[in-house]
Amino acid sequence: MFQKVPPMLLRFTPLFALLLLTGCEIPGLIPNPATVQKEAEAKAIGSACRHALRGLEDCYILNPKAPKASVFAGWKDMDGYMRDNKIDGTPSVLGKAEKAAKPPTEEIIQPSRGATSERRS
């Protein structure tokens, strides 16, 4: 009724299926490069915030589009690294640069419109 399958064919069936699947892109198997890059940038942002002695909440506020979990992971990794190697952070100059960028205000006194200083000779 049924034909007997040769044992050699049974051995090579998984290998044949594996060869067929190697050309396929299975969704979720390989992460999206854009997502990986975004997470790496967020980790770098968190590390930079910790090194600049910024609080985690300030880092979130300054970078609203960065994934918070990755920012926290970067901040935490840098915190551990700085504690292990006894590295002091560098204070941020972000607030100081904004104040220094403003030119000093000088009060200019202009004559009022009602009073004219015309000379008549």
Side-chain angles (χ1 to χ4, degrees):
M1 186 158 160
F2 293 107
Q3 292 181 353
K4 190 172 184 180
V5 178
M8 189 64 102
L9 185 61
L10 288 176
R11 288 183 186 168
F12 289 116
T13 303
L15 181 63
F16 181 68
L18 182 65
L19 286 173
L20 284 176
L21 288 175
T22 56
C24 297
E25 289 186 23
I26 300 171
L29 189 61
I30 300 172
N32 186 4
T35 306
V36 172
Q37 181 181 7
K38 190 173 183 179
E39 288 178 5
E41 287 176 0
K43 261 186 125 172
I45 288 169
S47 295
C49 282
R50 174 59 184 103
H51 191 264
L53 301 175
R54 275 198 199 107
L56 194 55
E57 295 80 16
D58 295 339
C59 195
Y60 290 153
I61 291 170
L62 290 172
N63 304 289
K65 292 185 179 181
K68 291 184 179 179
S70 298
V71 170
F72 175 71
W75 195 93
K76 186 178 174 184
D77 289 346
M78 181 57 90
D79 184 57
Y81 178 78
M82 289 174 70
R83 287 177 191 267
D84 292 342
N85 296 312
K86 297 179 181 149
I87 298 173
D88 294 330
T90 307
S92 175
V93 293
L94 183 63
K96 294 176 186 174
E98 289 175 358
K99 291 178 185 175
K102 285 184 175 179
T105 57
E106 293 180 12
E107 195 173 316
I108 300 173
I109 302 173
Q110 297 178 350
S112 61
R113 294 182 182 221
T116 58
S117 60
E118 295 179 23
R119 286 186 160 180
R120 294 188 187 186
S121 41

